[in-house]
Amino acid sequence: MSNEASDSPEDGEVFEINDFTVITDLEEFAVSVDGLVTKWDLVGRRPIYPDTKEIVFERLKTELKYGDADKVMDAVYVFPKKENEETVKKHCFALRKNLENSKSDFKHNDYITKMFGCTEYVLLTPQGEENSTSEDDRNFVVSAIRSALHSIRCEVPFFVQFNGEERPLYFGFSSDGEISYQFQMLCLYQINKRHTNLSGLLSLFKDHLRCPPEIMDTDDIKISANFHYSFEEYNRGEIKVLDSETLLGPPIGFNKRHPLKVTVTAGWTNFREDALIENESHSDFDPIHATDWKLSTNFEINPGLLSAAMDDFAKRKKADKKSAKDQLRMVDSRAAEALGLLTGRDGIASLRIGEKSAPSDPISPDSHWPLPGTLVVAWLGMIFHGVEDSREIIDAELKEYYTEKHHVATGWQRNDAPRSPEEFLKRYGNSEPVPDMKSLFPELRLKAAPEDSISERLANAFAHARVSFPETHIDSQLWLAFTRRLRNYYDTNQSIGLSTDIDLSSSLLNQKLQLFEACIEAKKRRHLLLDSGHVDTNDAGTDEDDFFDANSDVGSEPSDPGKVEEKEEQRGPRPPVGRLHQLGKLCLIDNPEEKLYVPITQDRSPMTEDMLERHSQYLFSLSEEERVEAQLDPLRSDMSAFKAANPGAQLADFLRWHSNKDYDEETKTMSERMSTPGNSWIRCWESANPIPVVSQARLFNETKLAEEILTNFESIPMEKVCDLLRPVFFANAFRELCIAANDLNHDKLKSLGDKIKKATFSGHDDDYNDAVTAAEELDQRALCILQVKNKFYSSVPSTDLVKVPGEIDKLVRNCVENFFLKDDEDNGPLGLPFRPLTPIGRCVQKMMATYSNDSMATPEEREYVLHWSIPRPLLASDKMPHRMYASIGNNTKNIIATSVGSDVNFNIQPQM
């Protein structure tokens, strides 16, 4: 009874059912693939694109997880960019149409597409150590893919990559339910010699397909072939040899070893098996008679010196926290320590070692610094005046420097490659004008310095000192030598060749050098005034300039007004002093017999933008009355000089010269603002004493300002020196890029100009870094174009160049642009087509013959694509296209990839 009760469902007991179904790794992986297909909507017919349409590939990426150990695969879906519906068809198996199309061979740069012929696919790559797996693992993954694709009717080919990036192997599968395709690949470093030519590859293809004997001798196999002829060149050595020509401009060239590979591809497309014969003893493949040629370039992209210098200015270095003096004291100290170790003494007194000791002379012949003093002296001559005579000296000194320090060969000469388009004009006689920044962007204004000014030459020299020489502290040596040369110019009253009118739209460095030039000119005028000074006792009607004796306390504080009046009373009436010239025919109002003279006045103190900012802050801190009084010093100085030159004059006389709008000659009255009792002009006139300018406190104390500039230059950290120089150098770099890269991309050049303009006005590091990023690509492209173009110009006779004016430039430019169009997945054009028997084609042949030892006799790589449509696996099976790709390298790896179809009703899989 109890047993029956327990078995009855009315008793409310629950029956527990245990599911002992086991999900295998194969099934779990198949489910993951199913989810991937659903996510990317890969079910059903796929689009077929026309032959004439250039395909641009797009990519989607995700991760695929499977297995108990959380195994992960990278999944990448590669597909043509979507087009309008009328341009594509979806009525049949797309892969089958792709494999039939022999006209699209070698048209696409995608690796999988080139090897297997499919334009849409999914690539799975195991992550980590699982990338290198056994054959069992490979078969497991491919079997799971086959199972998943059959069940969900996905026609998109799936590939799996094994063995990592260095020697990748690809295997895949695709099916539409009626025909299935298996994709296999071999990568061999050694291959049987009989399979390294077209005849052997045809036999291999036929054997692999296991075709019936009845169709073995048919000649409907279609073939395409590409033969690649290349030469590769590395720039010479790690040290860039400089000369006087390169030192004048900004650093140009490659910063590191920069290999260049130029490849000419001779192609034959869609020919039948018996059209061209190639076996171990004979070949009909003559590159001169190829149906098409392509020129391509390949570079190992490294920053150019120009963008490297810009980056150095933008980011600076840790050592730049110290001044040039402090850095060079360390150099002297290390030299003293080394000498002390050699001599057995702790120090050398003559080196004056110590934290507060001054560094040795940067231009001394026995200096311990990196560059010889004679070279620095010649370099400074070019910086200050751009002296042509210094070039021979610099070239000789540079040759000696490279020979002694870096053991450059005795046959030293300047770099063979032209550094800029201007050199092409000089060397090769190109008649095309080279545009510059002003002609390309006439509205662009940078806060920098005038072209060919001392500021521009200094910025270029400083950039060379930081990036073009292998030694350190050359920038400190050059900067300290520059500041000492500035002091020498001031002491000897020599001009540095700048305008004395400070241009506030220029960089702060240029403004400070203009102020320094103004100090030199003011000092020269003051000395002239002192040397020619005399007290004017001539008749009032004389037109000669009137001078006076200088006091011994020139530049002292202003004289006390009370003491001056007391001295005036003791001496009696003073003769007129400090007259410059007569003011027309005007006479004093109170003394019509006395002529009115223009006095010698002081120069107003010119100000740079930082001085103006400090002065504005000072005025803002004062009260209104104090602010007015602080701005009256120049006016008071002019009134004092006017009284000294015109004894007995009144304020109205002063206004007739200084502000004639405030005095009416007809009514003999002053303006209303000047007649107001107690106004600032009246107070100033009443407090002004008749003191000539030579006895006044200087408004423009050129000695003090010049010393401040020199002291500041000598003591500021090197990072501040970079801040002063970088707006000038960035403008120089942009001018250079406008010449070198003007025909690459005008929009990118304009964008770079806008970024540099923003940086030079703001001074922010982030703005300069943005400009560096924009300049790097243009610099690289311009250098690559110059490098390839030089190979043409240096190998092709000028008689041939005349026949193709501008065509080589266009060919090289487009070829380099094609290289930069490639993305990380090698999307982009394969090469630039041209005809071999045209004048430009002959120029390419001569260039290749010059740099290739075998003169295009032996290709570096040969590629073949074979198409054959036959029934498989049996003669009664459906006829379908098959494809084999082969890459035969010259002493490199050899690749064979097959796309073999099979009727699913006779599912016999071939083995390779």
Side-chain angles (χ1 to χ4, degrees):
M1 293 287 295
S2 61
N3 290 338
E4 292 178 0
S6 62
D7 293 335
S8 175
E10 285 90 0
D11 295 341
E13 295 184 8
V14 177
F15 290 90
E16 183 176 341
I17 301 175
N18 294 322
D19 186 2
F20 294 97
T21 304
V22 177
I23 300 178
T24 64
D25 289 345
L26 180 67
E27 293 171 326
E28 185 175 356
F29 183 73
V31 170
S32 299
V33 173
D34 189 308
L36 199 65
V37 170
T38 304
K39 177 181 179 181
W40 284 333
D41 190 21
L42 305 182
V43 179
R45 294 296 188 187
R46 312 309 300 169
I48 303 173
Y49 294 87
D51 298 340
T52 56
K53 190 69 177 178
E54 183 178 347
I55 295 179
V56 178
F57 291 100
E58 295 184 350
R59 285 167 168 78
L60 297 177
K61 298 181 181 180
T62 189
E63 289 185 349
L64 190 67
K65 296 183 179 181
Y66 67 100
D68 295 335
D70 291 331
K71 298 178 181 179
V72 181
M73 278 190 171
D74 292 324
V76 180
Y77 172 40
V78 181
F79 58 96
K81 188 176 181 179
K82 301 298 183 182
E83 299 288 343
N84 297 329
E85 290 298 326
E86 59 268 16
T87 63
V88 298
K89 300 177 181 179
K90 295 185 178 181
H91 64 275
C92 60
F93 191 13
L95 176 63
R96 180 171 182 171
K97 289 295 182 181
N98 288 337
L99 296 181
E100 286 178 350
N101 185 12
S102 60
K103 296 180 181 180
S104 62
D105 295 335
F106 305 120
K107 280 190 176 181
H108 311 300
N109 213 23
D110 183 81
Y111 198 50
I112 298 293
T113 301
K114 181 170 68 171
M115 288 194 301
F116 298 103
C118 50
T119 57
E120 182 183 18
Y121 62 89
V122 175
L123 175 61
L124 305 178
T125 306
Q127 292 184 358
E129 297 179 356
E130 296 179 19
N131 198 297
S132 180
T133 57
S134 64
E135 184 176 354
D136 292 338
D137 294 331
R138 184 195 73 189
N139 293 334
F140 163 78
V141 173
V142 174
S143 298
I145 292 174
R146 183 184 299 113
S147 175
L149 298 186
H150 269 304
S151 63
I152 57 180
R153 303 290 294 179
C154 174
E155 298 181 3
V156 176
F158 269 65
F159 291 87
V160 183
Q161 175 184 337
F162 295 106
N163 285 7
E165 295 294 335
E166 293 191 7
R167 191 180 177 183
L169 294 176
Y170 299 93
F171 300 90
F173 177 81
S174 179
S175 175
D176 70 340
E178 298 179 0
I179 299 174
S180 63
Y181 277 93
Q182 185 168 341
F183 307 100
Q184 294 180 322
M185 173 185 172
L186 288 178
C187 182
L188 305 172
Y189 283 92
Q190 292 183 349
I191 191 172
N192 193 314
K193 189 176 181 180
R194 67 188 181 91
H195 292 146
T196 59
N197 52 69
L198 179 59
S199 178
L201 292 172
L202 284 167
S203 299
L204 184 65
F205 188 33
K206 293 175 181 179
D207 292 343
H208 180 66
L209 291 178
R210 295 181 180 178
C211 63
E214 295 84 349
I215 58 174
M216 180 66 73
D217 296 328
T218 57
D219 59 352
D220 57 349
I221 297 180
K222 296 181 180 180
I223 306 167
S224 297
N226 270 357
F227 284 23
H228 304 283
Y229 302 87
S230 304
F231 76 84
E232 193 164 4
E233 180 187 69
Y234 292 84
N235 58 322
R236 304 171 186 173
E238 295 289 346
I239 298 175
K240 180 175 176 63
V241 178
L242 302 172
D243 60 9
S244 59
E245 182 75 21
T246 54
L247 285 180
L248 274 177
I252 297 293
F254 298 109
N255 192 25
K256 299 178 181 178
R257 293 180 63 84
H258 195 275
L260 161 68
K261 185 175 183 180
V262 179
T263 301
V264 172
T265 300
W268 297 263
T269 305
N270 198 26
F271 62 91
R272 293 190 177 276
E273 177 182 355
D274 57 353
L276 294 171
I277 305 299
E278 185 191 36
N279 52 42
E280 297 181 44
S281 58
H282 174 76
S283 176
D284 288 337
F285 290 102
D286 184 354
I288 302 300
H289 298 100
T291 55
D292 57 63
W293 277 27
K294 290 187 177 73
L295 180 68
S296 60
T297 55
N298 193 20
F299 306 90
E300 181 181 322
I301 297 301
N302 292 311
L305 276 174
L306 188 65
S307 54
M310 295 174 71
D311 185 64
D312 182 84
F313 272 108
K315 296 179 179 177
R316 303 182 291 277
K317 305 173 185 175
K318 292 183 179 180
D320 292 336
K321 298 292 183 182
K322 297 182 179 181
S323 67
K325 280 186 175 181
D326 292 337
Q327 290 189 8
L328 295 174
R329 285 193 192 102
M330 297 171 58
V331 176
D332 277 350
S333 299
R334 286 195 294 266
E337 292 173 4
L339 187 56
L341 292 173
L342 291 174
T343 59
R345 293 181 289 174
D346 294 335
I348 308 298
S350 61
L351 292 177
R352 297 165 57 194
I353 303 172
E355 290 187 0
K356 295 184 179 181
S357 63
S360 56
D361 189 354
I363 60 175
S364 173
D366 56 350
S367 171
H368 305 285
W369 296 356
L371 291 186
T374 50
L375 174 57
V376 176
V377 170
W379 201 359
L380 288 175
M382 295 184 69
I383 292 173
F384 275 86
H385 300 292
V387 182
E388 293 287 336
D389 297 339
S390 301
R391 292 195 175 188
E392 293 184 4
I393 301 175
I394 288 181
D395 285 334
E397 291 292 338
L398 283 170
K399 181 176 180 180
E400 183 177 354
Y401 159 78
Y402 284 113
T403 303
E404 291 183 357
K405 289 206 170 188
H406 303 288
H407 309 291
V408 176
T410 55
W412 178 90
Q413 58 182 359
R414 60 171 304 192
N415 195 337
D416 288 339
R419 59 178 288 275
S420 67
E422 292 99 325
E423 291 192 32
F424 279 103
L425 291 179
K426 296 177 182 178
R427 191 181 300 187
Y428 303 117
N430 193 330
S431 59
E432 294 184 2
V434 179
D436 56 10
M437 187 185 78
K438 290 182 179 179
S439 61
L440 289 173
F441 309 105
E443 303 299 325
L444 184 64
R445 296 292 182 270
L446 303 179
K447 191 175 178 63
E451 292 187 55
D452 198 31
S453 64
I454 183 174
S455 302
E456 183 190 59
R457 293 191 293 266
L458 175 63
N460 290 336
F462 194 81
H464 277 294
R466 289 177 72 88
V467 302
S468 298
F469 289 92
E471 292 88 359
T472 58
H473 302 306
I474 290 180
D475 55 340
S476 299
Q477 180 185 3
L478 180 65
W479 178 253
L480 191 56
F482 173 78
T483 59
R484 293 187 179 181
R485 177 66 67 90
L486 280 180
R487 184 177 295 279
N488 177 262
Y489 270 56
Y490 181 77
D491 292 341
T492 57
N493 294 338
Q494 295 184 62
S495 171
I496 61 174
L498 288 176
S499 170
T500 57
D501 297 328
I502 296 181
D503 182 8
L504 295 177
S505 65
S506 66
S507 67
L508 182 58
L509 171 68
N510 193 66
Q511 294 177 40
K512 286 186 176 294
L513 291 178
Q514 286 178 328
L515 177 59
F516 189 79
E517 177 77 347
C519 291
I520 295 174
E521 294 300 319
K523 181 184 175 186
K524 289 163 65 174
R525 289 194 300 270
R526 185 166 59 84
H527 284 192
L528 179 63
L529 193 67
L530 294 175
D531 294 340
S532 307
H534 65 280
V535 178
D536 182 18
T537 57
N538 296 333
D539 181 74
T542 181
D543 290 333
E544 296 180 0
D545 291 348
D546 301 312
F547 298 97
F548 42 84
D549 293 326
N551 294 338
S552 59
D553 56 345
V554 173
S556 61
E557 294 299 321
S559 304
D560 182 70
K563 293 182 180 180
V564 172
E565 290 179 0
E566 184 179 348
K567 291 181 180 180
E568 291 291 336
E569 292 177 359
Q570 293 175 357
R571 290 189 303 183
R574 290 186 56 175
V577 291
R579 289 177 171 179
L580 184 60
H581 59 78
Q582 186 176 329
L583 183 60
K585 297 181 179 181
L586 296 180
C587 299
L588 296 180
I589 296 174
D590 291 343
N591 188 359
E593 296 181 358
E594 186 70 28
K595 301 294 184 182
L596 188 63
Y597 283 84
V598 174
I600 299 174
T601 57
Q602 291 199 60
D603 294 327
R604 294 339 186 230
S605 179
M607 292 188 183
T608 59
E609 60 185 25
D610 57 336
M611 296 171 65
L612 286 171
E613 184 178 357
R614 290 196 300 269
H615 186 64
S616 298
Q617 292 174 354
Y618 165 71
L619 293 177
F620 186 76
S621 66
L622 301 176
S623 64
E624 184 176 355
E625 184 177 350
E626 291 173 332
R627 190 180 304 122
V628 172
E629 188 66 25
Q631 297 180 78
L632 291 178
D633 288 341
L635 180 62
R636 185 176 290 109
S637 172
D638 289 347
M639 288 180 173
S640 296
F642 185 84
K643 285 184 175 183
N646 299 281
Q650 56 177 286
L651 177 59
D653 293 315
F654 177 76
L655 293 177
R656 297 164 76 191
W657 161 64
H658 197 278
S659 181
N660 55 15
K661 292 183 179 180
D662 287 304
Y663 184 81
D664 190 339
E665 291 287 350
E666 295 182 359
T667 62
K668 306 297 182 183
T669 57
M670 295 189 297
S671 64
E672 182 178 354
R673 75 184 185 103
M674 293 298 175
S675 303
T676 304
N679 71 70
S680 57
W681 282 65
I682 293 176
R683 295 199 313 269
C684 189
W685 176 262
E686 292 174 351
S687 63
N689 295 306
I691 305 172
V693 292
V694 74
S695 300
Q696 297 178 13
R698 282 180 283 175
L699 296 175
F700 178 23
N701 192 337
E702 74 279 355
T703 305
K704 178 184 176 183
L705 286 177
E707 187 60 36
E708 286 180 354
I709 292 173
L710 293 171
T711 303
N712 177 261
F713 279 2
E714 290 177 351
S715 60
I716 60 174
M718 291 302 292
E719 66 177 358
K720 297 298 182 183
V721 176
C722 290
D723 290 344
L724 286 174
L725 288 165
R726 67 181 179 180
V728 182
F729 181 74
F730 270 61
N732 297 349
F734 184 63
R735 292 190 189 102
E736 191 71 30
L737 287 174
C738 283
I739 296 173
N742 70 85
D743 53 355
L744 288 179
N745 191 312
H746 187 273
D747 292 337
K748 287 186 176 181
L749 266 179
K750 186 179 185 303
S751 175
L752 173 61
D754 293 338
K755 291 178 184 294
I756 291 180
K757 178 181 179 180
K758 180 181 178 182
T760 57
F761 277 90
S762 71
H764 296 156
D765 290 345
D766 291 342
D767 293 335
Y768 278 105
N769 287 327
D770 290 342
V772 171
T773 302
E776 281 180 348
E777 181 182 349
L778 287 173
D779 185 27
Q780 291 168 354
R781 294 192 182 199
L783 287 175
C784 292
I785 286 177
L786 287 175
Q787 189 180 18
V788 179
K789 197 186 295 184
N790 183 59
K791 298 306 167 191
F792 275 98
Y793 282 110
S794 58
S795 60
V796 179
S798 58
T799 53
D800 292 332
L801 292 175
V802 174
K803 301 176 182 178
V804 284
E807 291 188 35
I808 287 183
D809 292 358
K810 182 179 179 181
L811 177 70
V812 172
R813 180 177 64 251
N814 292 338
C815 188
V816 173
E817 281 287 280
N818 282 353
F819 168 77
F820 281 93
L821 284 174
K822 297 179 184 178
D823 56 25
D824 295 336
E825 287 82 13
D826 278 339
N827 262 330
L830 284 167
L832 196 69
F834 64 96
R835 294 294 180 183
L837 298 181
T838 60
I840 190 70
R842 285 189 283 271
C843 290
V844 173
Q845 294 175 46
K846 291 181 180 179
M847 185 267 294
M848 295 297 296
T850 301
Y851 292 99
S852 179
N853 294 330
D854 54 15
S855 301
M856 297 185 67
T858 304
E860 180 187 52
E861 180 188 11
R862 289 170 292 141
E863 293 181 296
Y864 306 87
V865 175
L866 285 66
H867 298 265
W868 197 12
S869 294
I870 60 171
R872 191 177 179 280
L874 301 176
L875 188 60
S877 302
D878 189 17
K879 188 176 181 180
M880 66 199 73
H882 312 277
R883 187 179 188 271
M884 185 176 82
Y885 166 84
S887 171
I888 309 300
N890 187 12
N891 300 322
T892 59
K893 64 183 178 181
N894 306 279
I895 296 174
I896 296 177
T898 57
S899 305
V900 177
S902 181
D903 192 329
V904 295
N905 297 316
F906 302 93
N907 191 12
I908 303 175
Q909 297 295 334
Q911 300 297 322
M912 193 169 181

